[in-house]
Amino acid sequence: MSRPAQRKPLTAKGIALAQLFRERIVFLDGAMGTMIQQHALKEEDFRDASLAGAPGDLKGNNDLLSITRPDIIEGIHRAFFEAGSDIVETNTFSGTSIAQADYQLEGRVRDINLAAARLARKVADEVAEAEGRPTFVAGAIGPTNRTASMSPDVNRPEYRATSYD
């Protein structure tokens, strides 16, 4: 019989968040994708020097904007905090190798996630200092375009295009 996993002690941020939940309703940001769409971006907004040779269109790969247009992502995080959010989510909804495979950018997943986390944390810290209130960042991950619970091939019901691992 295995032993139950031991809980790690909460960090100072974790303690502060738990206390905030005891005091009031805590607000999470809104839809990042909708906010990005308001900028009417073009293909070149999704590229920088490191992506100049990337094959195919990158437009619509919103997670790349944490690298190529950090000004936009920072502005969105800041707008959510200014609207009263306590927590913003990282711009990593499609920051997985499965989702990035659509753009042939599986090798950039780590870069995308690190850039997005750093941006969100930077804005959260700036707002916390300026407004004297606690702010938090949550990692975000969305669904992929592949299912691990069903076969994409009706003739091979046991086949899976991906796994939970």
Side-chain angles (χ1 to χ4, degrees):
M1 184 167 254
S2 65
R3 295 184 351 201
Q6 295 216 349
R7 274 192 178 167
K8 292 182 181 179
L10 289 176
T11 63
K13 281 277 187 187
I15 292 168
L17 183 59
Q19 181 60 37
L20 196 59
F21 275 119
R22 285 193 221 38
E23 295 172 7
R24 64 176 175 80
I25 294 171
V26 176
F27 291 95
L28 180 70
D29 64 2
M32 176 66 77
T34 303
M35 296 293 283
I36 289 170
Q37 287 176 354
Q38 294 176 15
H39 290 272
L41 301 173
K42 297 179 175 21
E43 176 69 21
E44 53 268 18
D45 291 304
F46 294 86
R47 293 183 182 270
D48 66 2
S50 72
L51 294 161
D57 292 336
L58 298 181
K59 184 178 179 185
N61 189 350
N62 291 343
D63 296 22
L64 281 180
L65 298 172
S66 294
I67 295 171
T68 63
R69 291 297 309 271
D71 57 311
I72 290 173
I73 303 306
E74 284 184 28
I76 292 169
H77 288 318
R78 194 170 310 284
F80 279 125
F81 279 129
E82 289 172 356
S85 292
D86 300 294
I87 307 169
V88 296
E89 297 170 276
T90 57
N91 181 37
T92 54
F93 194 76
S94 299
T96 65
S97 58
I98 293 171
Q100 289 302 312
D102 287 352
Y103 299 96
Q104 300 177 45
L105 292 176
E106 302 96 309
R108 295 300 303 265
V109 169
R110 180 176 169 78
D111 300 336
I112 290 166
N113 283 280
L114 286 173
R118 286 179 180 133
L119 282 176
R121 182 76 265 151
K122 175 183 177 248
V123 175
D125 290 344
E126 289 171 359
V127 170
E129 185 173 332
E131 297 183 10
R133 67 179 177 110
T135 57
F136 304 92
V137 172
I141 187 169
T144 68
N145 58 354
R146 294 188 198 126
T147 180
S149 62
M150 294 175 33
S151 174
D153 184 346
V154 295
N155 296 313
R156 297 175 22 200
E158 77 289 352
Y159 174 73
R160 298 296 182 267
T162 191
S163 73
Y164 287 103
D165 290 340

